[in-house]
Amino acid sequence: MAPQTTDPLAALGELPGVADSVASVRTSVDRVYGHRVMRRRSSEVSAEAALRAARGTAALQGADWALEELRRRSDFSAAGEGRTVGAALRVTAEAGQLLDIWAQSPLRVLARLHLVACGGAPGDTPPVDDVIGRPRQTGELVDEPLVELPLPGASEVAARLDALNQLIVGDSSAPALVRAAVVHGELMALRPFVSLNGPVARAAERIVLIGSGLDPKAVCPAEVGHAEEGRAAYVRALENYASGTPEGMARWIAHCGAAVELGARESTAVCEALQRGAA
């Protein structure tokens, strides 16, 4: 993360090119919200966006299923790709229920997201497996097949999670895109849980974008864009974030901005299909 200042996230917003990314994202989001279909059928667009977001986050975990398969299937309990897709569906749906808690207790939300991703149901306390829903401890391995960044130790994870928590609950003037990108990037750099850090990190990004008011109806799923840009581009962008340099941070924020724009484009296409009666 960038060196601490009075408002470190606002400082990131001043990096070269970031203001352009923020403005471009705003234009794309406004275009979706201005579509005539959104006046009466926004709930349908939101539901479709959530399904596509889950598909995107699962694809980045290695389970690249067609939308039709997600609509057809009802059992995602089997091991392998089915379980990955089920985790993506659950965590994406859960994100929208945690907006109020996020503002006061983001670490509690992250724990909840991990529990849900791993298959926990409401009221499941304690989890069956004691590694679920808590930051990993010294000696515990991480199963995160996509990311090969250097893995911080447990003590560093705890310290950086605390710092991230303070940034989230603080009163930052940074644009929503910047805040969402930092939350996403930091969680992927830390990989605080023993598994499924990717779905949790992207769900957290989703929460920031929705809760900030940038995308209050959740119709601009960044997960769609991250998947469309591809796993290789995603990994390169994360490496830029992990570098901690101003240039690297700016590139990561731009990558996240492009992902939101692609998600907005996807939902614009959904609106057009609904308008034609084709969906």
Side-chain angles (χ1 to χ4, degrees):
M1 219 179 289
Q4 295 291 308
T5 65
T6 303
D7 187 352
L9 297 184
L12 292 177
E14 297 172 359
L15 293 173
V18 171
D20 291 339
S21 294
V22 169
S24 185
V25 165
R26 170 51 69 185
T27 298
S28 296
V29 172
D30 287 347
R31 186 177 298 118
V32 179
Y33 278 83
H35 198 286
R36 61 186 301 176
V37 166
M38 288 292 291
R39 298 173 191 169
R40 295 187 178 182
R41 304 181 71 178
S42 64
S43 60
E44 294 175 65
V45 181
S46 296
E48 188 64 23
L51 183 67
R52 293 171 188 235
R55 180 196 172 277
T57 209
L60 287 171
Q61 294 297 115
D64 192 358
W65 287 17
L67 276 172
E68 292 72 19
E69 183 71 4
L70 269 68
R71 297 186 207 280
R72 183 184 69 82
R73 291 279 290 269
S74 58
D75 181 10
F76 299 95
S77 61
E81 290 191 1
R83 192 168 185 177
T84 298
V85 173
L89 288 166
R90 289 190 300 272
V91 78
T92 301
E94 185 74 6
Q97 310 303 313
L98 301 172
L99 297 174
D100 291 340
I101 303 173
W102 177 262
Q104 285 79 39
S105 185
L107 297 186
R108 179 181 165 197
V109 169
L110 294 176
R112 176 64 189 166
L113 289 172
H114 190 243
L115 170 63
V116 170
C118 291
D124 284 355
T125 52
V128 175
D129 190 331
D130 68 1
V131 304
I132 296 175
R134 65 155 174 79
R136 54 187 169 83
Q137 298 175 359
T138 301
E140 292 178 342
L141 301 178
V142 174
D143 179 15
E144 195 63 53
L146 176 62
V147 181
E148 297 182 356
L149 297 171
L151 190 67
S155 60
E156 182 180 350
V157 168
R160 287 172 64 174
L161 279 177
D162 182 63
L164 182 63
N165 182 77
Q166 293 180 42
L167 285 178
I168 294 168
V169 302
D171 187 20
S172 175
S173 62
L177 172 63
V178 172
R179 286 179 274 146
V182 168
V183 167
H184 182 173
E186 186 70 355
L187 290 173
M188 289 304 290
L190 294 179
R191 280 146 293 162
F193 302 109
V194 297
S195 64
L196 295 171
N197 289 285
V200 170
R202 291 185 287 276
E205 178 186 46
R206 179 179 183 83
I207 288 172
V208 177
L209 293 171
I210 298 169
S212 66
L214 176 64
D215 181 23
K217 295 184 178 180
V219 295
C220 302
E223 301 94 329
V224 168
H226 289 304
E228 186 170 333
E229 291 182 301
R231 297 178 81 190
Y234 184 69
V235 170
R236 286 195 301 272
L238 283 169
E239 290 171 349
N240 280 318
Y241 176 87
S243 74
T245 65
E247 296 80 10
M249 295 296 292
R251 290 191 189 103
W252 167 248
I253 294 167
H255 177 89
C256 291
V260 175
E261 290 189 62
L262 288 169
R265 186 182 71 180
E266 184 93 349
S267 286
T268 299
V270 170
C271 288
E272 293 294 327
L274 288 170
Q275 186 168 279
R276 295 192 307 270

